[in-house]
Amino acid sequence: MNEIVFRSITKTYGSHVAIPGLDLEVAKGSFVTLLGPSGCGKTTTLRIVAGLEQASAGTLSLGGRCIYSSAEGIFVPPEKRGLGFIFQSYALWPNMKVARNITLALTEARMAASEVRNRLEDALAKVQLKGLEERYPSELSGGQQQRVAVARLIAARNSILLMDEPLSNLDAKLRTEMRRELKKLHADLGATTIYVTHDQVEALTMSDVIVVMKGGMIAQQGTPHELYHQPANLFVAEFIGDPKINILPGHMDGDAQGPRAIFEGFSMPMAEGFDVDGPVTFAIRPEHVEIHPKSVAGAVAASVDIVQPMGSQTIVSLTVNGHPVTALIPKFAQGLGQEEVWVSFNREHILVFDKSERLCVPEKPSVREYRRNTGG
Ligand code: ATP
């Protein structure tokens, strides 16, 4: 069942259209990330779910209950939506101790004191903050404050959680740790989660589904694996992946032997079924660039510009036919100087985008056969 359903949700600010019409369904218990560059409408979308922002048109339902409908004049206020939030600023009360920050909403909802105590104990244990409950937020590190916000979320036991860039104030090491903890939290609570970030690593590591947004619209929605390996368009291909995907302009040609990819000194046979001719853009992930010390069949000469070892991997910046190309080698590469090398690509890993920047996928043999037989 889908827990959160957007139907033609629109948001305008004066004459500015931030969300032109969003249709999105979030499955119960899933971790869905809204990912995209600054200004693409992620936060606005999340705030509309929270009720902190009212949409301009459309309908929105949570767990089968309509909470917003422009046509029917329905707007359920935030406090009646039963949601849990974490924002970039942890929104802790500075004048209240950790324990009070975590339990405030529970006591205000007149929950029995014993139940409040149980939930506090459970939440403190889950985020490993036991012993710090008598401190004020100003007496905690950024990471610990973040954990208090998470503990508050755990204690509330909401079935829907909304998180807006909750890790962006943390240093790199803590961010990695908290990513793991938030993922575990989601698994433990089983809550439907919408997570907003512009950080593609966070999106890839934590999500069941990523929704890439551009200009208030969905550029692609899918699993992290789908978005990484089969980006529907160049925007998604370039937004996801670090180091960035290599973009090489060229064209597709065909002869009796089948389709060929022609770019930067390469002329490669491609899989049967590519139904595209003329100018295209080729995109190749850095881990699919192969570097050879000697000339091999199908390889093109390249120069090594910069080598950046990162421990388990090495980023190698090359120039191929005057065009920059990045390779990612899965080891600490040594001995790569400013020398000439040869570069090749496996055709299975070459993505082809047409003039409108959409991914071209070769037709399956069965479909080709059918088309041939039916003249379609
Ligand atoms: P960021 O990653 O920078 O937070 P975002 O993807 O979350 O960006 P939003 O904050 O949702 O983007 O903004 C979407 C668009 O709506 C932007 O063009 C922004 O300038 C505009 N916008 C957001 N809030 C308002 C407002 N209160 N008044 C006018 N325009 C707004």
Side-chain angles (χ1 to χ4, degrees), residues 13-14 16-19 36-45 53 88 164-165 196-198:
Y13 293 104
H16 176 66
V17 184
I19 315 267
S38 183
C40 71
K42 311 176 291 289
T43 294
T44 302
T45 304
E53 200 79 71
Q88 188 174 348
D164 191 356
E165 309 244 9
V196 160
T197 184
H198 60 266

Side-chain angles (χ1 to χ4, degrees), residues 217-239:
M217 293 192 283
I218 298 177
Q220 189 176 4
Q221 171 183 351
T223 64
H225 190 273
E226 282 164 352
L227 266 64
Y228 191 79
H229 292 287
Q230 289 224 298
N233 47 63
L234 259 184
F235 177 78
V236 174
E238 290 194 84
F239 198 80

Side-chain angles (χ1 to χ4, degrees), residues 275 363 367-376:
D275 189 19
E363 248 174 17
V367 176
R368 276 203 320 280
E369 179 84 356
Y370 175 80
R371 291 220 305 169
R372 246 195 317 269
N373 293 340
T374 58

Side-chain angles (χ1 to χ4, degrees), residues 45-173:
T45 304
L46 197 76
R47 288 174 63 84
I48 287 172
V49 180
L52 300 172
E53 200 79 71
Q54 185 163 345
S56 310
T59 61
L60 179 63
S61 56
L62 299 184
R65 166 185 175 220
C66 179
I67 53 157
Y68 170 75
S69 166
S70 50
E72 294 177 49
I74 298 171
F75 178 80
V76 175
E79 67 277 11
K80 299 229 167 97
R81 294 188 181 194
L83 306 163
F85 310 92
I86 303 190
F87 295 115
Q88 188 174 348
S89 65
Y90 313 128
L92 301 180
W93 296 103
N95 56 334
M96 292 182 194
K97 292 179 177 171
V98 166
R100 184 94 181 104
N101 260 293
I102 295 172
T103 57
L104 181 66
L106 309 183
T107 50
E108 290 204 333
R110 299 181 191 282
M111 190 176 280
S114 58
E115 176 64 9
V116 172
R117 221 172 15 253
N118 285 344
R119 289 199 186 191
L120 174 63
E121 292 296 312
D122 173 59
L124 285 169
K126 280 210 166 80
V127 299
Q128 293 161 23
L129 275 184
K130 274 195 177 247
L132 299 185
E133 48 271 55
E134 291 303 310
R135 291 210 195 159
Y136 287 97
S138 59
E139 297 168 332
L140 300 175
S141 71
Q144 288 168 331
Q145 290 180 28
Q146 217 274 347
R147 280 159 204 256
V148 178
V150 173
R152 185 172 54 192
L153 209 58
I154 294 173
R157 299 192 185 165
N158 297 113
S159 60
I160 299 179
L161 305 181
L162 306 178
M163 307 193 194
D164 191 356
E165 309 244 9
L167 308 185
S168 55
N169 286 344
L170 306 180
D171 65 40
K173 188 162 167 283

